[in-house]
Amino acid sequence: MPERSRDARHGGRTVRFAPRIDALLNRYTGADVFRLEPDTIGVAGPDQMDALLRSRPANAEERPTFKPVRARRVSRTDASTYMQAVSSDVRTALRRPLETDVDLTGSWPQVPHAYLRDLVFGRERLRFRVLVDRRLELTPKLTWSAVTSGAALLGRPGRQVPLSKLASLVLDSATFEDRRYAMYLYRRVAAPVCFTVAALVTNAVWLGAPFDDALPNRHIIHEALRLLPPSWNILRVASPEFPAVDERIGAHDDILLLPLLSHRDPKLWDDPETFLPERWNDLDPDTHPGYLPFGHADERCWGRHMVLPLAERLLDLVRRDGLTVRPDQTVATVELDGLMEVSDVRVTHGRTRSPVAA
């Protein structure tokens, strides 16, 4: 299998991609519009991606967080309510001082996921906390089973005040059906925050740790999002607006927009395969062509303003405690299963604790 994304400045660590992702990178990096399947067009050109995403807004099925729950439509009001609730819970967590006794060594991204779960939802009752567990990703049936059993057995806590506003939304439900719906949405908005931040910071640690003290956290994050964006593709189902944007797209073609490719396009980036956080001294992540780690400017991912500060907090701990990848690990794998993340990165103490970069 070909190897890509080698960072010689940090021990020659290599990312080994799943075969289908590797094939995408090898065949289509630098291309703009190309056919992937008989009914699917791939798009990686910045102008084409911009025009297609502007041509119509995403529909409910294309927004994974708020697609229907067992045929029950998620209203705009519900979507806004749950987003505001989890945002409030994250802000509350971020106001706490950095922990002095936390141990983040071990296998990543499992370790940072557990840290983030406990940071934001750690004092929650078990039936809520389990909804943020990584193991529920194994199968949708397991998730639905946890939601249904939790909704059936969850009673009101009396005078106990729940930690999170998300939990309050569940506890305020009047019926079992409403409570099950609310618990499913709890999972939909809470778990992705932990998954995404854990994946992002794991990718950053693999690509660059230990980091130069002069590098701002935000530059490290932007560069990790460029080379290994957890949300690496955007699906839009066939729509009459798309052939009008590009004649290579047929009336019945779905389109798969691929920031993974545009983030490595040599026409858009200097030395595109190399991890260079300092490039962001002179680049604007909100306007640079083809850079879409949180989607298009017209409809940015709702979690962006939670993911970035949580990732910075986690990086603060990594840098303070001198964490890095174990020297004997030089290869890590990216599987084709949901978010793009390097798996089983073995993190250890690399040097004496030091102050984090400003």
Side-chain angles (χ1 to χ4, degrees):
M1 182 188 303
E3 294 180 350
R4 305 181 63 101
S5 190
R6 186 180 300 277
D7 182 15
R9 295 181 309 148
H10 292 96
R13 296 182 201 136
T14 297
V15 175
R16 183 166 292 158
F17 291 96
R20 290 182 66 184
I21 300 177
D22 192 76
L24 274 175
L25 290 165
N26 283 321
R27 295 175 188 171
Y28 299 116
T29 296
D32 56 3
V33 177
F34 41 90
R35 184 163 293 280
L36 289 171
E37 302 286 349
D39 59 353
T40 306
I41 294 288
V43 183
D47 294 338
Q48 290 83 1
M49 289 197 296
D50 180 73
L52 288 164
L53 290 170
R54 289 185 187 280
S55 67
R56 71 161 174 81
N59 61 40
E61 292 291 343
E62 295 165 344
R63 293 180 177 272
T65 304
F66 294 114
K67 64 184 180 182
V69 176
R70 292 292 179 102
R72 177 170 173 172
R73 179 175 171 272
V74 179
S75 68
R76 283 184 173 271
T77 299
D78 282 351
S80 177
T81 297
Y82 280 82
M83 286 191 295
Q84 290 172 9
V86 73
S87 296
S88 174
D89 294 332
V90 168
R91 288 195 301 271
T92 298
L94 286 169
R95 285 195 288 268
R96 297 180 195 140
L98 284 182
E99 298 84 353
T100 59
D101 58 352
V102 64
D103 181 6
L104 294 176
T105 59
S107 179
W108 285 43
Q110 290 83 355
V111 168
H113 176 92
Y115 165 78
L116 293 161
R117 178 201 62 203
D118 292 345
L119 174 70
V120 184
F121 307 105
R123 299 176 189 174
E124 207 88 288
R125 298 167 68 188
L126 179 60
R127 295 202 177 277
F128 290 116
R129 292 180 64 222
V130 73
L131 299 179
V132 195
D133 197 295
R134 289 179 64 89
R135 288 169 293 185
L136 293 191
E137 291 295 287
L138 294 174
T139 167
K141 290 183 178 179
L142 189 59
T143 299
W144 190 248
S145 175
V147 166
T148 301
S149 62
L153 298 173
L154 185 68
R156 291 202 61 85
R159 295 184 179 180
Q160 178 186 349
V161 178
L163 170 70
S164 72
K165 290 195 174 183
L166 272 180
S168 297
L169 295 176
V170 177
L171 294 171
D172 287 343
S173 302
T175 67
F176 167 74
E177 291 295 333
D178 288 342
R179 189 161 58 251
R180 185 170 62 172
Y181 168 81
M183 290 192 79
Y184 203 89
L185 289 185
Y186 181 112
R187 162 75 179 180
R188 285 260 192 95
V189 299
V193 173
C194 298
F195 289 138
T196 303
V197 176
L200 168 55
V201 182
T202 299
N203 294 346
V205 167
W206 178 260
L207 290 166
F211 303 105
D212 189 308
D213 287 343
L215 284 173
N217 279 342
R218 195 60 66 97
H219 288 5
I220 294 169
I221 291 168
H222 289 324
E223 186 69 347
L225 284 168
R226 184 184 71 82
L227 279 172
L228 293 172
S231 297
W232 59 278
N233 66 78
I234 304 168
L235 176 66
R236 292 290 182 266
V237 298
S239 187
E241 293 88 352
F242 299 155
V245 171
D246 193 295
E247 62 184 9
R248 289 169 288 185
I249 303 173
H252 302 291
D253 285 330
D254 296 336
I255 59 172
L256 190 68
L257 301 107
L258 292 159
L260 174 65
L261 300 185
S262 63
H263 288 188
R264 294 167 180 261
D265 189 334
K267 299 187 297 294
L268 304 175
W269 310 91
D270 295 330
D271 202 2
E273 296 286 344
T274 303
F275 181 74
L276 294 172
E278 54 269 29
R279 76 173 76 238
W280 295 100
N281 291 333
D282 304 312
L283 300 179
D284 184 344
D286 289 327
T287 60
H288 191 79
Y291 187 66
L292 300 172
F294 293 103
H296 191 260
D298 286 354
E299 46 187 23
R300 294 280 191 217
C301 170
W302 61 268
R304 180 189 188 195
H305 297 296
M306 291 177 279
V307 166
L308 292 177
L310 282 171
E312 288 184 300
R313 180 189 178 98
L314 194 49
L315 271 178
D316 282 344
L317 292 168
V318 167
R319 302 177 80 174
R320 184 198 70 186
D321 295 348
L323 299 181
T324 190
V325 180
R326 273 179 41 175
D328 60 348
Q329 184 178 12
T330 59
V331 177
T333 302
V334 170
E335 304 293 349
L336 186 60
D337 55 356
L339 295 178
M340 176 165 285
E341 61 183 11
V342 286
S343 59
D344 193 23
V345 174
R346 297 186 291 278
V347 172
T348 187
H349 293 288
R351 57 181 170 82
T352 305
R353 289 162 59 124
S354 64
V356 298

